[in-house]
Amino acid sequence: MSPATGDRHRVVVLALDGVYPFELGIPSRVFGAVAEHYEVLTCSVDGRPVRTNSDFSVTVEHGPEVLATADTVILPPFDMARLSRELPAAVAGALAPVRAGARIVSICTGAFVLAAAGLLDGRPATTHWALAAVFRDWFPQVALDPGVLFVDDGDVLTSAGAASGVDVCLHLVRKDHGTAVANFVARVCVVPPWRDGGQAQYIEQPVPETTANDTSATRQWALENLHEPLALSTLADHARMSLRTFARRFNDEVGMSPGRWLIQQRVARARHLLESTDLAVDDIAGQVGFATGTSLRQHLHAAIGVSPLAYRRTFRGGAAAQP
């Protein structure tokens, strides 16, 4: 099954002992908001109830046999006391029937399971920032990036802690069915359709002086004026800060430089216009602040690996479009 066939895409969530209840429910909440596209099943390694990391257990409806039918497998996080370098035999047995080509997704400590299974060898990945040192020590063969909310490496995706599970699930909806559907899901779940920055903004750090301004108003202003050049000096002037202060404070709040953030916003806006309009690529480039259509093509390819025309064909079903 796949989204392209018209059949519902089957998502199977594997609950391990010590599972975090909040994250366990994320796939059902996000994908379940568009049940016409997705079917979500939850299983355990033996079909028995699973002890959570709270003061209750959960009863699941399925055993590991449903993993063989999954289009997407999701590993929610579990208690850190249960982390191990080695893959438990029961978990290895449950994952063994997962078919080739199925997407595999982890949330937070679920990445430790994927790494122990060898599924992240030589790949980029992430996990909760607080566990980065342990992860690197145990799995040096994985290209860990603890500064991002999630990593999409094609058939394997990893995400950071807690609410980043929402981010990666929304990303999959967007990837499968486009921005409009993902935005609908976000509204139903009352969450942002896309969060700026990465984990860096959540790592404990000194609180800025209360007399200093933040950059949120300037970020909003920039989003309303993406068609403009928006040099760093322009943003700093709007925020009434020096260049150095603005760049430092922006990075502290968002977790990335102003330039990188602007590119992300421009690419996101371009994707929306490619999906929802018949505007030519050069016209879209002008509306989102890229100097030329060539620049848009380069940035879009760097972000998602496809050309504007290929992206538009994917999400508009071959609708007439200007290259």
Side-chain angles (χ1 to χ4, degrees), residues 101-117:
R103 288 190 303 213
I104 302 181
V105 183
S106 69
I107 304 172
C108 192
T109 55
F112 282 75
V113 173
L114 301 190

Side-chain angles (χ1 to χ4, degrees), residues 152-200:
D152 181 345
D153 195 37
D155 59 335
V156 177
L157 297 90
T158 51
S159 61
S164 65
V166 176
D167 295 307
V168 74
C169 288
L170 279 175
H171 169 71
L172 289 176
V173 174
R174 186 181 300 109
K175 188 175 181 178
D176 291 344
H177 299 289
T179 300
V181 175
N183 287 349
F184 167 79
V185 173
R187 288 194 299 272
V188 170
C189 296
V190 198
V191 295
W194 181 273
R195 283 197 291 165
D196 298 333
Q199 293 193 73

Side-chain angles (χ1 to χ4, degrees), residues 52-70:
T52 72
N53 77 322
S54 300
D55 63 341
F56 59 88
S57 296
V58 294
T59 300
V60 298
E61 296 294 326
H62 305 281
E65 65 278 356
V66 295
L67 287 164
T69 69

Side-chain angles (χ1 to χ4, degrees), residues 201-246:
Q201 61 190 309
Y202 303 106
I203 297 174
E204 186 175 357
Q205 54 188 311
V207 177
E209 298 85 351
T210 56
T211 56
N213 296 324
D214 67 23
T215 65
S216 59
T218 296
R219 294 199 303 272
Q220 182 60 40
W221 176 79
L223 290 174
E224 295 168 359
N225 292 275
L226 282 179
H227 57 284
E228 299 291 345
L230 297 180
L232 178 59
S233 58
T234 304
L235 298 175
D237 286 345
H238 183 274
R240 298 182 180 179
M241 300 180 190
S242 68
L243 284 173
R244 185 173 182 179
T245 298
F246 177 78

